[in-house]
Amino acid sequence: MKCNGGRALITIICAFTIIIGFAIQSLSADPLPVPKIPYAPRQYVCYQTAETLTIDGRLDEDSWQKATPTELFVDIEGHLKPAPRFETRAYMLWDSAYFYVAAKMVEPHIWAKLTERDAVIYHDNDFEVFIDPDGDTHEYYELEMNAFNTVWDLLLIKPYRDGAPAVNAWDIQGLKTAVSITGTVNNPSDKDSEWSVEIAIPWKVLSECAHRPSPPRDGDQWRVNFSRVEWRMDIKNGQYEKTIDPATGKSFPEDNWVWSPQGLIAMHYPEMWGIVQFAKAEVGTEEVAFVEDIHEPIRWGLRQIYYAETDYRSEHGAYTSDWEELKLDVSIKGCTWPPKIEASTNQFEAYTECEDGRTIFSITQEGRLLQRQQ
């Protein structure tokens, strides 16, 4: 596996992290946390914009006014936790050059501290974007920004759970971001209203590890999610300070509010992200229906095998090729099921053939879900 796009640095890092990741995973014996909510990723139809957007964070162009807002963000664990204290909605548009993302976040006290690019931005309140173009849960992108418009962009060769580190050296060349503040930053003496972000991500950069057309074709679907990190704050001596938990002497954990819930406190489960369908229709001109992918249940069924195999190995020291030993109550239509499983101590592959006789889906111990044609 390597990333496309002609960037030698990314290709070298991809190969290096695969080797390290396999070594780490082969030594791991920990059970894998799994989502605790039903699989129901949120859906969004992203329309084209014909006008030139000025990236200033204000969202006052006609295209943004016509764009459909997402559902209100929820807690990262979904219905298992209370609704967020403050409202958040995101918006999406696209054209031949950029994927546009915007968000409005209600916030009575806007603050920020970090000013250096690629700092760990979620130590401040922030807004985060996650993009997995081909939905295989590997080679995906993350972007974070705070109220100062300080940016952290990184490439994930594969999720942390699968043993690979993030590539912090990766930068989105040509990225445009802006923040608009309704209120004042770092002024506890007044009450603010909201802050909004506006982002333009070049398709040229997203194409590097997309493994599919970028910009997308009409009807293409990408996996996308958004997160808002919110810390509990106190005002002391005219300054914002994170609220301390008396039981630990440390700040309370941050709240994580997301568009499509994960079912656990972990954003790096790309299989739980929302599904964005790109439409070539201009925003506001017609309504395009979201098309359900008939293969999505197959993908989710294989994901259950990945979870079960990982837990099986943590208990028994090896993977299994015996479907019965996985003890899964999963039945999938439209393909050969149970799937065929080949396994050894350190590796497994489960694969199933669709009824069309041409399409095969597979998943391995690294969690990468592939689709191929015979």
Side-chain angles (χ1 to χ4, degrees):
M1 177 187 72
K2 69 177 183 178
C3 303
N4 295 323
R7 298 187 67 185
L9 173 62
I10 294 179
T11 302
I12 293 170
I13 292 173
C14 284
F16 182 66
T17 51
I18 289 170
I19 296 170
I20 291 180
F22 182 82
I24 292 173
Q25 188 181 49
S26 66
L27 297 174
S28 175
D30 295 329
L32 181 70
V34 299
K36 302 299 183 184
I37 60 175
Y39 180 70
R42 285 182 161 172
Q43 303 167 345
Y44 188 93
V45 176
C46 179
Y47 295 91
Q48 287 209 67
T49 174
E51 65 178 323
T52 301
L53 300 180
T54 300
I55 307 302
D56 55 13
R58 295 184 184 138
L59 315 187
D60 51 6
E61 288 92 349
D62 187 53
S63 292
W64 283 127
Q65 297 300 311
K66 293 177 179 177
T68 303
T70 65
E71 301 92 336
L72 285 172
F73 282 27
V74 297
D75 187 88
I76 193 170
E77 295 184 79
H79 67 270
L80 302 177
K81 291 294 177 67
R85 299 187 301 280
F86 310 127
E87 292 187 357
T88 309
R89 292 186 189 271
Y91 306 76
M92 287 168 267
L93 293 167
W94 70 291
D95 61 20
S96 61
Y98 296 98
F99 178 35
Y100 300 100
V101 172
K104 293 183 178 181
M105 293 164 279
V106 173
E107 177 59 71
H109 289 285
I110 302 171
W111 65 276
K113 293 184 178 180
L114 299 170
T115 58
E116 183 179 352
R117 187 186 176 107
D118 289 341
V120 182
I121 299 299
Y122 62 77
H123 288 166
D124 284 356
N125 288 350
D126 78 355
F127 180 76
E128 304 176 0
V129 180
F130 299 85
I131 305 172
D132 181 11
D134 63 357
D136 69 350
T137 76
H138 283 212
E139 296 177 347
Y140 59 88
Y141 311 106
E142 179 179 355
L143 169 68
E144 303 183 8
M145 55 192 295
N146 65 5
F148 278 158
N149 194 27
T150 306
V151 168
W152 182 21
D153 48 2
L154 56 160
L155 169 69
L156 283 298
I157 305 304
K158 51 186 174 179
Y160 298 113
R161 68 186 178 196
D162 296 311
V167 183
N168 286 304
W170 178 81
D171 287 333
I172 303 175
Q173 300 299 319
L175 174 70
K176 300 178 183 180
T177 65
V179 173
S180 179
I181 306 293
T182 306
T184 52
V185 181
N186 293 334
N187 182 6
S189 65
D190 67 359
K191 188 173 182 179
D192 307 313
S193 296
E194 70 172 23
W195 61 297
S196 59
V197 301
E198 190 174 13
I199 304 165
I201 307 174
W203 292 117
K204 183 177 181 180
V205 175
L206 293 177
S207 71
E208 291 170 355
C209 293
H211 302 294
R212 62 187 316 182
S214 177
R217 298 161 301 192
D218 182 43
D220 280 358
Q221 296 181 348
W222 289 25
R223 301 306 292 261
V224 175
N225 212 352
F226 308 112
S227 173
R228 174 183 176 180
V229 168
E230 184 79 11
W231 295 88
R232 303 187 200 182
M233 303 297 294
D234 292 324
I235 299 174
K236 294 183 178 180
N237 301 317
Q239 301 291 327
Y240 291 119
E241 295 183 8
K242 293 177 181 176
T243 304
I244 300 300
D245 180 355
T248 64
K250 300 179 181 179
S251 59
F252 282 100
E254 75 279 10
D255 290 313
N256 297 274
W257 302 332
V258 304
W259 170 44
S260 193
Q262 300 287 105
L264 74 172
I265 305 176
M267 281 304 298
H268 292 273
Y269 278 58
E271 64 267 25
M272 298 298 289
W273 295 353
I275 304 175
V276 175
Q277 176 178 307
F278 294 94
K280 68 178 181 180
E282 184 178 340
V283 64
T285 61
E286 63 177 287
E287 184 173 346
V288 176
F290 186 92
V291 178
E292 300 281 353
D293 187 339
I294 61 173
H295 294 135
E296 199 59 31
I298 299 175
R299 297 185 182 96
W300 184 240
L302 289 172
R303 183 63 55 185
Q304 305 312 296
I305 295 174
Y306 162 78
Y307 295 151
E309 285 279 12
T310 304
D311 284 348
Y312 184 91
R313 185 174 183 273
S314 72
E315 182 177 353
H316 300 281
Y319 297 109
T320 181
S321 59
D322 187 340
W323 168 259
E324 298 297 330
E325 288 186 330
L326 295 177
K327 299 178 181 179
L328 281 172
D329 184 18
V330 177
S331 180
I332 305 297
K333 298 179 180 179
C335 63
T336 55
W337 200 268
K340 297 178 181 178
I341 303 175
E342 298 175 354
S344 64
T345 300
N346 294 324
Q347 300 179 69
F348 84 85
E349 181 179 17
Y351 52 95
T352 181
E353 182 177 316
C354 295
E355 288 180 346
D356 62 17
R358 299 189 306 273
T359 308
I360 294 177
F361 287 89
S362 65
I363 197 165
T364 70
Q365 76 284 347
E366 290 189 319
R368 189 172 196 179
L369 204 157
L370 296 178
Q371 174 181 346
R372 61 184 184 271
Q373 301 299 121
Q374 294 195 94

